[in-house]
Amino acid sequence: MDSILVRGGGELNGVIPIAGAKNACLTLMPATLLTEEPLTLTNAPRLSDIRTMTQLLGSLGAEVASLQDGQVLAMSSHNIHNHTADYDIVRKMRASILVLGPMLARDGHAIVSLPGGCAIGARPVDMHLQALEAMGAELDLRDGYVHARAPGGRLKGAVIEFGFASVGATENALLAATLAKGTTVIKNAAREPEIVDLAQCLRRMGAQIEGEGSSIITIQGVDRLSGATHPVVTDRIELGTYMLAPAICGGTVECLGGRIELVGAFCEKLDAAGVSVEETERGLKVTRKNGRVKAVDVTTEPFPGFPTDLQAQMMALLCTADGTSVLEEKIFENRFMHAPELTRMGARIEVHGGHATVKGVEKLKGARVMATDLRASVSLILAAMAAEGETVVSRVYHLDRGYERVEEKLGACGAHIERIAS
Ligand code: UD1
């Protein structure tokens, strides 16, 4: 298993290109299952999660060609011969559940393994299933699989009201509703930019959708969808992560492709901490010049609130803030596993349930630490870049799921970071 070696100290200055969003791409790729015509995604990120989704779609009979060094995915699903998403793939990546809605909508039947738990929480898929049941699906849960069937071969429009604005459940419902008979209304829908991106792609394919980005989405089902070409939206989590690099180390970094509306709540916290964010023609320029940042309190919430996927990285910043910050995690029940690792680097953090209290210290110190999940892994790298001495982050396969070419991107801005292959 590879590790990352970071030698801390020194400002970061330069330009970082931000890739297309992993989480958008993972919901756009299953949209290929809705049509027999080609669907092409441009601005795709080059990540192991995307390769896992490619493998899953391939196992169903879809063809996915990775072109232009992986930045273009040309997909075709004219020959879906298998309707079972196997446990061996689904257990690697929870987003695999997103093939359930499209397969069911297109062919009236699908069998998908239940994903099981994950490091940051139990993460059930009950709301995905609730949405499909509302659309008439008959579901049978046995042997760890969801066996789904649409009576008469077609889902029907329905009013779906979520108890919580789940991103994945909204996506599955939206994908499925495009081909259902009649009108579907999703109430308390998630409003994340990745959902807006999915709706835009589906509309290019001929779907009739209104209200994406608000909490009520209305879909008028159509008989068939066509092919399309769609650019994947900028990754707001990669953007926020690299915006934190100069905030933590000092210096100025311009993140190409960044837009304020993707990271509004996050920018408000950076501003409160004393980090400046400026919109440029090409993206967002982040500067931290004078001394330590100020402590700020952060609560994670569904979009447009502060994203849970930036909580670990924000904690890395607040470890060296002047004062005490409280971070509240409201989306996942076990998402502070980076805290004990940051503590190994000299941070002063106390976790009580869903709250973490961070007492800022002047400097962190390098140590051997372990990545526990995707966002935790990058928070340790951010912390290490500002720490005294060397840090070795092990288990970086988590990192490769969601960040392409981290060493290259940060190295180009002056960070001392290298991968140690094992
Ligand atoms: C997506 C993102 C993930 C991000 C999360 C919240 C992808 C591939 N992943 O995950 O990076 O952290 O949104 O912004 O896009 N829940 C249920 N039942 C369900 C579904 C969800 O109880 O059927 C709970 C989850 O356990 C969690 C909360 O709802 O506590 C939020 O989950 P959800 O919004 O669905 O996140 P994901 O789509 O899994």
Side-chain angles (χ1 to χ4, degrees), residues 365-389:
K365 292 206 167 56
R368 291 180 63 93
V369 290
M370 198 172 71
T372 49
D373 65 69
L374 167 56
R375 307 302 171 187
S377 60
V378 84
S379 77
L380 298 173
I381 291 175
L382 289 173
M385 288 192 305
E388 261 167 22

Side-chain angles (χ1 to χ4, degrees), residues 22-24 26-27 49 93-98 120-130 162 164-171 190 192 194 236-237 301-303 307-309 330-333 335 374-375 401:
K22 168 181 88 77
N23 287 350
L26 289 176
T27 186
D49 269 10
M93 189 183 67
R94 304 181 49 80
S96 306
I97 191 78
L98 294 171
I120 60 175
R123 303 183 78 178
V125 291
D126 53 319
M127 287 191 269
H128 298 240
L129 305 186
Q130 169 212 333
F162 289 125
F164 176 85
S166 155
V167 175
T170 302
E171 291 167 344
E192 270 67 4
E194 293 74 27
R236 63 197 167 95
I237 306 303
E301 281 167 316
F303 191 85
T308 174
D309 285 352
K330 292 221 295 206
I331 309 294
F332 293 108
E333 64 270 27
R335 209 174 194 183
L374 167 56
R375 307 302 171 187
R401 292 185 51 195

Side-chain angles (χ1 to χ4, degrees), residues 129-276:
L129 305 186
Q130 169 212 333
L132 297 173
E133 261 181 334
M135 283 190 261
E138 290 171 356
L139 305 178
D140 184 14
L141 270 56
R142 64 189 137 89
D143 311 325
Y145 283 77
V146 185
H147 297 248
R149 193 161 281 282
R154 191 168 180 191
L155 293 172
K156 52 183 184 353
V159 175
I160 298 161
E161 182 151 12
F162 289 125
F164 176 85
S166 155
V167 175
T170 302
E171 291 167 344
N172 235 334
L174 178 55
L175 285 157
T178 55
L179 287 180
K181 190 170 173 50
T183 306
T184 298
V185 181
I186 307 175
K187 295 185 178 174
N188 199 18
R191 299 160 60 188
E192 270 67 4
E194 293 74 27
I195 289 174
V196 174
D197 201 40
L198 174 63
Q200 284 170 354
C201 175
L202 292 169
R203 204 177 286 121
R204 283 175 205 258
M205 295 166 70
Q208 292 187 16
I209 301 169
E210 277 174 22
E212 75 275 12
S214 78
S215 52
I216 299 184
I217 306 178
T218 307
I219 305 111
Q220 186 68 50
V222 295
D223 290 339
R224 61 179 296 280
L225 291 173
S226 57
T229 297
H230 177 81
V232 179
V233 68
T234 298
D235 195 319
R236 63 197 167 95
I237 306 303
E238 192 196 27
L239 170 64
T241 301
Y242 288 129
M243 288 172 75
L244 280 167
I248 293 179
C249 299
T252 299
V253 170
E254 186 177 12
C255 294
L256 303 183
R259 287 182 279 128
I260 291 276
E261 66 265 26
L262 294 174
V263 280
F266 168 71
C267 286
E268 281 171 24
K269 293 298 174 186
L270 283 189
D271 184 53
V275 177
S276 104

Side-chain angles (χ1 to χ4, degrees), residues 301-378:
E301 281 167 316
F303 191 85
F306 191 99
T308 174
D309 285 352
L310 284 174
Q311 178 259 108
Q313 302 90 310
M314 191 71 183
M315 186 185 280
L317 172 74
L318 297 174
C319 284
T320 52
D322 188 4
T324 299
S325 313
V326 177
L327 290 98
E328 186 184 2
E329 173 56 57
K330 292 221 295 206
I331 309 294
F332 293 108
E333 64 270 27
N334 187 28
R335 209 174 194 183
F336 285 132
M337 282 175 307
H338 40 283
E341 301 300 315
L342 290 167
T343 304
R344 288 178 52 74
M345 299 174 71
R348 290 173 64 199
I349 307 169
E350 278 177 26
V351 175
H352 294 289
H355 293 80
T357 305
V358 183
K359 292 194 174 113
V361 296
E362 288 256 353
K363 263 268 176 234
L364 295 178
K365 292 206 167 56
R368 291 180 63 93
V369 290
M370 198 172 71
T372 49
D373 65 69
L374 167 56
R375 307 302 171 187
S377 60
V378 84

